[in-house]
Amino acid sequence: NNLASCLAFIDAQEYEQAICCLKKIVETAHSLGATRQLAHGCSYLGIVLQRMKGHQDQCVEWHQRHSQLAEGLGDIEERCRALSNLSSSYILTNQARKAVEAQEEQLELIKETRTQKDLCRFYGNMSISYRSVQNFERAVECHQRSLQIAMDEQDAYLQCMSYHQLGKTYRAMEKLEYAANCHREGVKCAKKTKLDAEVCRELHELGCLQLMLGQDKEALRVFQEELAILDKFPDMKLEAANVRANIGLCHASTGEWEEAVECFDAHLQVATEQEDGEGQRQTNTNLEEAYRSMGEQDKAL
């Protein structure tokens, strides 16, 4: 009964009431020596506390307890869930190194029990954790393992995800050419999935990197391809406007100021409609620079 009430409270985001029910579950399970139910109670307590502002530090303690209980049960699946939640709580509380340690422990269990696709996803998650602690060598190694499994499984979506994360790691390492090459491959894989969101994401990353590398014409073509997809969806109006701003930057880089101003104006209009303050500020800065370069000081002011 307490568990049913708890789940209802969680669904309704009434977390204080959920915690009261869960503590009753934990107390009852402990008094009865019901270890599995006690483990589940600890797990739910950690998850609920993760969702509550100001209580994230407490969630680590409950996930640690869940992990210890799962180990005592000898249940590999339960232990994997516990370590996954523990890793998430460490990330949430800015303990990235401990998150990596929990994931490394989980990896050994996953190798015994899960499919190759599960292992592929897990290597991807581990790579992100290694990147967060700037252990780029281990991050790249995990990316490459993830990518190899995805290729062996002939899974275009997993390949796309692997290339995407590998590109982000190379970008963090300031290896921009390597990063751009990863996102080029990511675009190819994304197109095989026929998922517009994935295609746009990879095109966007590639275009931004090409701008950074001074490959303005290539970036322009990539952003135009992204825009052609976004323009098909009315609810993606702001995202499309942001791409127009990037197209404006491409024109500005080649001295095509009138075309740049047209793009910046289009972005400013949407940013104003959507009350995107940061977008308005950035575009006004771009417009000022464009008008000054055109010798139109009054408009720049």
Side-chain angles (χ1 to χ4, degrees):
N1 287 337
N2 277 321
L3 181 57
S5 299
C6 165
L7 295 175
F9 284 133
I10 291 173
D11 287 340
Q13 297 185 1
E14 296 176 3
Y15 297 133
E16 293 288 352
Q17 292 91 328
I19 286 174
C20 289
C21 291
L22 285 166
K23 285 184 175 178
K24 289 179 182 177
I25 291 172
V26 168
E27 290 170 6
T28 305
H30 181 72
S31 66
L32 294 172
T35 306
R36 187 171 296 278
Q37 286 74 17
L38 178 58
H40 290 167
C42 293
S43 174
Y44 276 116
L45 267 169
I47 291 169
V48 172
L49 288 165
Q50 275 183 239
R51 299 181 183 183
M52 297 176 66
K53 290 183 179 179
H55 293 77
Q56 283 88 352
D57 288 342
Q58 298 174 45
C59 74
V60 173
E61 178 184 345
W62 288 104
H63 286 315
Q64 287 174 332
R65 191 172 176 189
H66 177 210
S67 178
Q68 292 165 357
L69 290 165
E71 185 175 14
L73 287 167
D75 186 328
I76 293 178
E77 286 295 329
E78 189 70 28
R79 181 94 165 114
C80 282
R81 283 192 291 272
L83 288 168
S84 177
N85 288 333
L86 182 58
S87 173
S88 297
S89 68
Y90 281 139
I91 291 171
L92 188 64
T93 53
N94 299 314
Q95 301 181 71
R97 294 191 184 281
K98 287 187 177 181
V100 168
E101 291 171 4
Q103 287 180 337
E104 287 175 340
E105 191 173 350
Q106 188 184 358
L107 174 62
E108 296 306 313
L109 299 175
I110 286 177
K111 286 179 179 178
E112 299 176 21
T113 61
R114 303 290 177 86
T115 67
Q116 285 297 296
K117 288 186 179 182
D118 289 332
L119 188 57
C120 173
R121 294 186 186 93
F122 189 76
Y123 274 125
N125 291 335
M126 280 196 72
S127 66
I128 295 170
S129 296
Y130 280 124
R131 185 172 69 222
S132 70
V133 295
Q134 297 187 326
N135 188 341
F136 296 126
E137 183 178 351
R138 286 287 287 153
V140 169
E141 180 184 334
C142 287
H143 287 311
Q144 290 173 338
R145 288 185 179 182
S146 174
L147 180 58
Q148 186 59 58
I149 295 171
M151 293 173 72
D152 291 344
E153 295 291 315
Q154 298 182 339
D155 189 313
Y157 178 76
L158 289 178
Q159 289 178 57
C160 177
M161 295 298 294
S162 297
Y163 277 122
H164 177 76
Q165 292 299 340
L166 182 55
K168 292 187 74 170
T169 295
Y170 279 134
R171 182 169 179 171
M173 297 168 70
E174 299 183 356
K175 294 185 175 183
L176 301 187
E177 286 284 4
Y178 281 58
N181 287 335
C182 287
H183 290 298
R184 283 191 190 94
E185 293 301 318
V187 170
K188 295 176 186 176
C189 295
K191 288 179 178 178
K192 292 178 183 178
T193 69
K194 298 182 180 180
L195 296 172
D196 287 331
E198 303 303 322
V199 177
C200 285
R201 184 187 62 186
E202 293 308 301
L203 286 170
H204 190 79
E205 293 287 348
L206 176 57
C208 290
L209 283 162
Q210 287 172 327
L211 265 181
M212 294 169 70
L213 289 163
Q215 300 169 359
D216 306 313
K217 291 182 179 180
E218 293 86 346
L220 177 60
R221 287 194 292 269
V222 167
F223 286 132
Q224 286 173 334
E225 185 178 353
E226 181 187 4
L227 182 61
I229 298 172
L230 291 173
D231 275 343
K232 295 187 294 185
F233 303 100
D235 60 335
M236 303 295 285
K237 194 173 181 180
L238 182 57
E239 288 78 2
N242 290 336
V243 176
R244 283 189 171 84
N246 285 332
I247 291 174
L249 292 174
C250 294
H251 286 306
S253 296
T254 55
E256 298 169 319
W257 296 110
E258 290 183 3
E259 292 86 346
V261 167
E262 182 180 347
C263 291
F264 294 147
D265 277 337
H267 177 244
L268 182 59
Q269 180 180 348
V270 175
T272 303
E273 290 173 0
Q274 301 282 333
E275 298 182 348
D276 177 11
E278 181 59 33
Q280 292 176 60
R281 285 189 290 274
Q282 185 59 54
T283 298
N284 277 319
T285 300
N286 291 335
L287 280 167
E288 179 186 352
E289 182 180 344
Y291 283 131
R292 289 191 188 283
S293 298
M294 295 167 71
E296 299 187 30
Q297 300 301 325
D298 290 342
K299 288 185 177 181
L301 290 172

